[in-house]
Short mmCIF file of all heavy atoms in Angstrom, two decimals:
data_model
loop_
_atom_site.label_atom_id
_atom_site.label_comp_id
_atom_site.label_asym_id
_atom_site.label_seq_id
_atom_site.Cartn_x
_atom_site.Cartn_y
_atom_site.Cartn_z
N ASN M 394 0.84 -1.20 0.00
CA ASN M 394 0.01 0.04 0.00
C ASN M 394 0.90 1.25 0.02
O ASN M 394 1.89 1.32 0.70
CB ASN M 394 -0.90 0.02 1.26
CG ASN M 394 -1.76 1.21 1.37
OD1 ASN M 394 -1.49 2.14 2.09
ND2 ASN M 394 -2.87 1.23 0.60
N VAL M 395 0.48 2.23 -0.78
CA VAL M 395 1.29 3.50 -0.84
C VAL M 395 0.52 4.72 -0.37
O VAL M 395 1.02 5.86 -0.47
CB VAL M 395 1.64 3.79 -2.33
CG1 VAL M 395 2.67 2.70 -2.81
CG2 VAL M 395 0.48 3.88 -3.27
N VAL M 396 -0.64 4.54 0.28
CA VAL M 396 -1.38 5.67 0.74
C VAL M 396 -1.15 5.91 2.21
O VAL M 396 -0.52 6.87 2.61
CB VAL M 396 -2.93 5.46 0.52
CG1 VAL M 396 -3.71 6.68 1.03
CG2 VAL M 396 -3.19 5.33 -1.00
N ASP M 397 -1.57 4.96 3.06
CA ASP M 397 -1.31 5.01 4.52
C ASP M 397 -0.29 3.93 4.79
O ASP M 397 -0.59 2.78 5.02
CB ASP M 397 -2.56 4.75 5.31
CG ASP M 397 -3.55 5.85 5.25
OD1 ASP M 397 -3.04 7.10 5.18
OD2 ASP M 397 -4.74 5.72 5.28
N TYR M 398 0.97 4.28 4.77
CA TYR M 398 2.04 3.28 5.01
C TYR M 398 3.26 3.98 5.63
O TYR M 398 3.26 5.15 5.86
CB TYR M 398 2.42 2.60 3.65
CG TYR M 398 3.32 3.40 2.81
CD1 TYR M 398 4.56 2.87 2.29
CD2 TYR M 398 3.02 4.68 2.31
CE1 TYR M 398 5.39 3.59 1.42
CE2 TYR M 398 3.84 5.38 1.51
CZ TYR M 398 4.99 4.84 1.06
OH TYR M 398 5.87 5.58 0.23
N SER M 399 4.30 3.18 5.87
CA SER M 399 5.41 3.70 6.68
C SER M 399 6.63 4.19 5.83
O SER M 399 7.69 4.31 6.32
CB SER M 399 5.91 2.66 7.69
OG SER M 399 4.87 2.35 8.56
N GLY M 400 6.41 4.31 4.51
CA GLY M 400 7.42 4.88 3.68
C GLY M 400 8.43 3.87 3.05
O GLY M 400 9.48 4.26 2.62
N TYR M 401 8.02 2.56 3.11
CA TYR M 401 8.93 1.57 2.58
C TYR M 401 9.08 1.65 1.06
O TYR M 401 8.10 1.76 0.33
CB TYR M 401 8.43 0.22 2.94
CG TYR M 401 8.30 -0.09 4.42
CD1 TYR M 401 7.42 -1.06 4.90
CD2 TYR M 401 9.09 0.54 5.34
CE1 TYR M 401 7.36 -1.37 6.24
CE2 TYR M 401 9.07 0.30 6.69
CZ TYR M 401 8.19 -0.65 7.13
OH TYR M 401 8.06 -0.92 8.49
N PRO M 402 10.29 1.61 0.49
CA PRO M 402 10.46 1.73 -0.93
C PRO M 402 9.96 0.57 -1.72
O PRO M 402 9.65 0.69 -2.93
CB PRO M 402 12.03 1.89 -1.04
CG PRO M 402 12.56 1.24 0.14
CD PRO M 402 11.56 1.52 1.24
N ASP M 403 9.82 -0.58 -1.09
CA ASP M 403 9.35 -1.80 -1.81
C ASP M 403 7.88 -1.92 -1.71
O ASP M 403 7.34 -3.07 -1.91
CB ASP M 403 10.06 -3.07 -1.32
CG ASP M 403 10.02 -3.24 0.16
OD1 ASP M 403 9.40 -2.42 0.86
OD2 ASP M 403 10.59 -4.21 0.64
N CYS M 404 7.14 -0.80 -1.46
CA CYS M 404 5.71 -0.84 -1.50
C CYS M 404 5.17 0.12 -2.50
O CYS M 404 3.99 0.49 -2.43
CB CYS M 404 5.12 -0.52 -0.10
SG CYS M 404 5.39 -1.82 1.14
N ARG M 405 5.95 0.50 -3.48
CA ARG M 405 5.65 1.58 -4.45
C ARG M 405 5.26 0.95 -5.77
O ARG M 405 5.79 -0.04 -6.16
CB ARG M 405 6.71 2.57 -4.58
CG ARG M 405 7.11 3.33 -3.34
CD ARG M 405 8.40 4.20 -3.51
NE ARG M 405 9.52 3.32 -3.84
CZ ARG M 405 10.53 3.70 -4.66
NH1 ARG M 405 10.51 4.86 -5.25
NH2 ARG M 405 11.49 2.85 -4.87
N PRO M 406 4.38 1.60 -6.56
CA PRO M 406 3.97 1.06 -7.86
C PRO M 406 5.13 0.80 -8.78
O PRO M 406 5.15 -0.25 -9.44
CB PRO M 406 3.09 2.14 -8.43
CG PRO M 406 2.59 2.94 -7.28
CD PRO M 406 3.67 2.86 -6.26
N GLU M 407 6.11 1.72 -8.75
CA GLU M 407 7.26 1.54 -9.70
C GLU M 407 8.13 0.25 -9.34
O GLU M 407 8.71 -0.30 -10.20
CB GLU M 407 8.19 2.81 -9.69
CG GLU M 407 8.63 3.33 -8.39
CD GLU M 407 7.69 4.38 -7.82
OE1 GLU M 407 6.43 4.24 -7.96
OE2 GLU M 407 8.25 5.38 -7.26
N PHE M 408 8.13 -0.01 -8.00
CA PHE M 408 8.86 -1.28 -7.68
C PHE M 408 8.20 -2.48 -8.27
O PHE M 408 8.83 -3.35 -8.82
CB PHE M 408 8.88 -1.41 -6.13
CG PHE M 408 9.33 -2.74 -5.65
CD1 PHE M 408 10.61 -3.23 -5.77
CD2 PHE M 408 8.36 -3.66 -5.11
CE1 PHE M 408 11.00 -4.45 -5.35
CE2 PHE M 408 8.72 -4.93 -4.72
CZ PHE M 408 10.02 -5.33 -4.87
N PHE M 409 6.85 -2.54 -8.16
CA PHE M 409 6.13 -3.72 -8.64
C PHE M 409 6.16 -3.79 -10.18
O PHE M 409 6.23 -4.92 -10.77
CB PHE M 409 4.73 -3.67 -8.09
CG PHE M 409 4.63 -3.91 -6.57
CD1 PHE M 409 4.27 -2.89 -5.76
CD2 PHE M 409 5.01 -5.06 -6.01
CE1 PHE M 409 4.25 -3.01 -4.36
CE2 PHE M 409 4.98 -5.26 -4.63
CZ PHE M 409 4.61 -4.17 -3.83
N GLU M 410 6.11 -2.63 -10.81
CA GLU M 410 6.23 -2.67 -12.30
C GLU M 410 7.56 -3.18 -12.76
O GLU M 410 7.66 -4.02 -13.69
CB GLU M 410 6.02 -1.22 -12.83
CG GLU M 410 4.57 -0.71 -12.63
CD GLU M 410 4.50 0.79 -12.86
OE1 GLU M 410 5.56 1.42 -13.26
OE2 GLU M 410 3.51 1.38 -12.58
N ALA M 411 8.61 -2.77 -12.08
CA ALA M 411 10.00 -3.27 -12.40
C ALA M 411 10.11 -4.73 -12.11
O ALA M 411 10.73 -5.50 -12.82
CB ALA M 411 10.99 -2.41 -11.64
N TYR M 412 9.54 -5.16 -10.95
CA TYR M 412 9.69 -6.56 -10.58
C TYR M 412 8.93 -7.48 -11.50
O TYR M 412 9.41 -8.58 -11.90
CB TYR M 412 9.19 -6.78 -9.13
CG TYR M 412 9.79 -7.99 -8.51
CD1 TYR M 412 10.92 -7.93 -7.70
CD2 TYR M 412 9.18 -9.25 -8.70
CE1 TYR M 412 11.48 -9.08 -7.14
CE2 TYR M 412 9.77 -10.39 -8.15
CZ TYR M 412 10.87 -10.30 -7.45
OH TYR M 412 11.43 -11.45 -6.90
N GLU M 413 7.78 -7.02 -11.94
CA GLU M 413 6.99 -7.82 -12.91
C GLU M 413 7.70 -7.96 -14.17
O GLU M 413 7.74 -9.02 -14.83
CB GLU M 413 5.63 -7.19 -13.11
CG GLU M 413 4.59 -8.11 -13.69
CD GLU M 413 3.17 -7.50 -13.70
OE1 GLU M 413 2.95 -6.46 -14.42
OE2 GLU M 413 2.28 -8.01 -12.96
N GLN M 414 8.39 -6.87 -14.65
CA GLN M 414 9.25 -6.94 -15.87
C GLN M 414 10.34 -7.88 -15.70
O GLN M 414 10.70 -8.68 -16.66
CB GLN M 414 9.75 -5.53 -16.23
CG GLN M 414 10.68 -5.53 -17.40
CD GLN M 414 10.09 -6.08 -18.72
OE1 GLN M 414 8.80 -6.08 -18.88
NE2 GLN M 414 10.92 -6.52 -19.62
N MET M 415 11.01 -7.94 -14.54
CA MET M 415 12.06 -8.84 -14.24
C MET M 415 11.57 -10.28 -14.28
O MET M 415 12.29 -11.19 -14.92
CB MET M 415 12.64 -8.63 -12.85
CG MET M 415 13.82 -9.41 -12.47
SD MET M 415 13.36 -11.01 -11.67
CE MET M 415 12.73 -10.47 -10.18
N LEU M 416 10.32 -10.55 -13.86
CA LEU M 416 9.79 -11.95 -13.96
C LEU M 416 9.57 -12.33 -15.39
O LEU M 416 9.67 -13.48 -15.72
CB LEU M 416 8.46 -12.01 -13.07
CG LEU M 416 8.64 -11.88 -11.64
CD1 LEU M 416 7.29 -11.91 -10.93
CD2 LEU M 416 9.50 -13.05 -11.05
N ARG M 417 9.20 -11.35 -16.22
CA ARG M 417 8.99 -11.68 -17.66
C ARG M 417 10.26 -12.23 -18.32
O ARG M 417 10.19 -13.06 -19.19
CB ARG M 417 8.54 -10.42 -18.40
CG ARG M 417 7.11 -9.98 -18.05
CD ARG M 417 6.61 -8.93 -19.01
NE ARG M 417 5.35 -8.30 -18.57
CZ ARG M 417 5.30 -7.15 -17.99
NH1 ARG M 417 6.46 -6.40 -17.81
NH2 ARG M 417 4.15 -6.66 -17.55
#
């Protein structure tokens, strides 16, 4: 979650987009 969260970098949309590309 990126709305109410503690500022973790691995909870951001760009992280998941990059990770999904890595899995491809």
Side-chain angles (χ1 to χ4, degrees):
N394 179 260
V395 294
V396 180
D397 288 327
Y398 78 125
S399 296
Y401 298 155
D403 54 359
C404 288
R405 297 172 299 147
E407 52 266 44
F408 166 74
F409 295 110
E410 291 166 9
Y412 202 94
E413 199 170 66
Q414 175 60 23
M415 184 272 292
L416 291 177
R417 288 191 192 101

